[in-house]
Amino acid sequence: MTTDATATAPWLIVGLGNPGPGYAANRHNVGFMVADLLAGRIGGSFKRAAKAQAQVLEGRIGPVGPANRRVILAKPMSYMNLSGGPVVALRDFYKVPTANIVAIHDELDIDYGVLRLKLGGGDNGHNGLKSMTKAMGADYHRLRFGIGRPPGRQQVADFVLKDFSATERKELDYFVDRAADAVECLVTEGLERAQSTYNS
């Protein structure tokens, strides 16, 4: 539910992933990929946050006028399973309502490239969400980016920490671009509009 406070407050858009070049192209790091694309659209670069273990970029999203929103893009540098600490520190520093936080993350239980936007819910075994929910409750937005289930008997942990396959990479840029569009729609037009446009 939108209140006067949340309507005028900034948004905190959090791409979830693991820091370091060894993880950069992993399936688990698709949140970082979307955040990087959004940073490029805003026209800035990430800088180390003074008050949190994260990289941040402040900017604005949306057309000139009432739909234009102040946003803080963030990539926690704490490793996935400790994401909650940096997110809460940024939330408190920038005075962002929990309902104005968006977590962008990989999702095993939906097919590759499929997007799902939602508010609240469980963590479905995702360590980044688990850490965020433990730190601040579950009432934040999520953009779930489908990566599908591992083939055969491959372990989930091994699957998410591997790079996208050559076949997947052919469409990855398109799906990341669409995910960035979905985040922008959520922030400027609201959850219902974003869901009707991007939930497939």
Side-chain angles (χ1 to χ4, degrees):
M1 182 177 176
T2 302
T3 65
D4 289 343
T6 58
T8 56
W11 283 75
L12 175 58
I13 301 169
V14 182
L16 293 179
N18 288 307
Y23 296 102
N26 289 179
R27 292 181 178 92
H28 221 21
N29 269 46
V30 73
F32 275 17
M33 297 174 198
V34 177
D36 286 337
L37 181 58
L38 285 166
R41 291 182 180 185
I42 288 172
S45 56
F46 283 99
K47 295 180 172 59
R48 184 173 294 279
K51 302 293 183 180
Q53 192 177 357
Q55 291 184 353
V56 296
L57 167 63
E58 296 181 60
R60 302 194 77 86
I61 283 177
V64 174
N68 189 261
R69 295 284 182 265
R70 180 181 171 222
V71 299
I72 299 95
L73 284 177
K75 297 191 295 185
M77 294 286 110
S78 57
Y79 289 98
M80 183 70 84
N81 60 353
L82 298 173
S83 299
V87 173
V88 166
L90 292 170
R91 179 199 67 179
D92 293 348
F93 179 73
Y94 289 103
K95 298 178 172 56
V96 178
T98 301
N100 280 23
I101 296 174
V102 186
I104 309 168
H105 64 93
D106 57 304
E107 177 60 62
L108 287 159
D109 282 342
I110 52 180
D111 292 338
Y112 173 61
V114 173
L115 302 177
R116 292 278 192 278
L117 288 142
K118 63 182 290 193
L119 174 63
D123 58 61
N124 206 23
H126 191 286
N127 287 331
L129 297 183
K130 193 176 296 183
S131 178
M132 285 180 61
T133 297
K134 183 178 179 182
M136 64 183 189
D139 295 329
Y140 55 91
H141 288 86
R142 300 100 188 276
L143 174 62
R144 304 160 71 201
F145 186 112
I147 61 170
R149 280 274 165 188
R153 297 185 177 182
Q154 187 178 10
Q155 294 295 309
V156 166
D158 182 53
F159 178 70
V160 300
L161 293 175
K162 287 284 194 298
D163 292 358
F164 286 99
S165 69
T167 301
E168 289 169 333
R169 285 198 296 272
K170 291 176 183 177
E171 295 184 291
L172 182 59
D173 287 348
Y174 167 77
F175 289 138
V176 169
D177 189 70
R178 193 164 184 271
D181 290 346
V183 172
E184 291 183 346
C185 185
L186 169 64
V187 169
T188 60
E189 299 185 61
L191 178 61
E192 188 174 334
R193 178 63 181 269
Q195 286 176 325
S196 67
T197 305
Y198 293 99
N199 280 17
S200 48

